[in-house]
Amino acid sequence: MISISNLKKQFGETKVCDIPSFTVNDGDILGLVGNNGAGKTTLFRMLLDLLKADEGFVQINGINPAESETWKNDVGAYIDDGFLIDFLTPEEYFAFLGKISNMPQAEVDERLQAFERFAGGEIFGQKKLIRNLSAGNKQKVGIISALLRKPKTVILDEPFNFLDPTSQLMLKHLITDYAETMHATVIISSHNLQHTVDISTRIVLLEHGQIIRDLSNTEGSATAELQEYFGAE
């Protein structure tokens, strides 16, 4: 479970986060949507202790990330390619992640097999450094890295970016299957409303750093309200 209490962040005169109270429940697939500048990435960075809040705090499974490192054992995240070590090949990078997680290389190799179809023959065995991969393949490496350790909480910022339509569809199945199999909590942000509606059990609409809608999405029930808000009708 993720809980937010009185979380505030401001850059100069611009308020980028102002959330009095919010909870992400265990097992939620939460879609975070909003226009550019809504504060989605800023919120993710505060959740992951990459950005210090001006006020308030977050807790992941009862742990404040700003006060302890233990939460990292159960959280996988990918925000952008700054998370990657781009002078390594994908295999070297995954081996490194396994090593720092005390995971034997044989187990790393076994877990990577589950992602071979998603990788599409363009990541494994190519002998390319991550820096030389296309934007879409870097995205895939980041997503795989977020899931590799089988974390109970997954945070993905714009995971559908740079992916071709086939890979986007595979990613939708990958996220939903992962959440169901692992009983995991998954939070994604996306500008793609259709993909978000398709996979999310709950959708939060963020604007100017504030949560203005918190919608149940049983069988896509949030679609009409989202379309109305974003002017699609």
Side-chain angles (χ1 to χ4, degrees):
M1 185 175 73
I2 298 174
S3 60
I4 294 173
S5 300
N6 193 37
L7 193 66
K8 295 184 181 182
K9 184 67 181 179
Q10 193 162 319
F11 295 127
E13 298 298 317
T14 303
K15 188 178 293 185
V16 293
C17 184
D18 184 5
I19 303 176
S21 178
F22 185 69
T23 299
V24 183
N25 301 309
D26 291 341
D28 279 349
I29 302 179
L30 179 72
L32 188 64
V33 300
N35 290 315
N36 289 334
K40 302 184 297 295
T41 300
T42 297
L43 176 57
F44 280 172
R45 289 190 175 277
M46 287 192 286
L47 288 175
L48 297 169
D49 194 35
L50 299 173
L51 183 65
K52 181 177 174 58
D54 295 333
E55 295 182 37
F57 61 92
V58 303
Q59 289 186 318
I60 299 178
N61 297 324
I63 300 169
N64 184 337
E67 297 177 350
S68 172
E69 298 288 314
T70 58
W71 61 278
K72 293 181 179 180
N73 296 328
D74 294 317
V75 177
Y78 183 68
I79 292 181
D80 56 40
D81 60 14
F83 275 46
L84 306 176
I85 304 176
D86 68 358
F87 58 81
L88 300 178
T89 66
E91 287 91 344
E92 290 171 338
Y93 179 56
F94 296 134
F96 168 76
L97 294 179
K99 186 172 294 186
I100 64 174
S101 303
N102 297 315
M103 191 188 308
Q105 184 60 43
E107 186 174 354
V108 173
D109 294 339
E110 181 181 356
R111 292 189 183 192
L112 288 175
Q113 290 177 13
F115 300 103
E116 285 186 351
R117 185 165 177 264
F118 179 58
E122 298 180 331
I123 293 175
F124 303 129
Q126 300 304 299
K127 299 182 179 180
K128 285 186 178 181
L129 301 180
I130 292 173
R131 67 170 63 133
N132 296 326
L133 297 176
S134 68
N137 285 330
K138 288 179 183 177
Q139 188 84 345
K140 290 181 180 181
V141 171
I143 292 166
I144 293 169
S145 71
L147 301 177
L148 182 63
R149 295 181 299 113
K150 297 185 178 180
K152 290 295 187 180
T153 302
V154 178
I155 297 174
L156 300 173
D157 193 13
E158 297 289 352
F160 299 103
N161 274 3
F162 311 119
L163 299 183
D164 58 45
T166 298
S167 297
Q168 290 179 352
L169 291 174
M170 283 194 287
L171 178 58
K172 286 161 65 173
H173 290 295
L174 185 63
I175 291 173
T176 53
D177 289 348
Y178 183 87
E180 182 177 354
T181 301
M182 295 298 299
H183 307 289
T185 302
V186 180
I187 309 176
I188 67 163
S189 74
S190 181
H191 285 118
N192 190 308
L193 289 181
Q194 189 58 59
H195 288 335
T196 306
V197 167
D198 285 347
I199 67 173
S200 300
T201 60
R202 181 181 173 195
I203 295 177
V204 163
L205 179 55
L206 192 70
E207 289 296 349
H208 305 296
Q210 296 182 312
I211 293 174
I212 60 174
R213 300 279 199 285
D214 184 357
L215 308 171
S216 173
N217 190 45
T218 304
E219 297 183 354
S221 59
T223 301
E225 189 165 347
L226 290 171
Q227 289 179 340
E228 181 180 3
Y229 181 84
F230 288 109
E233 296 183 337

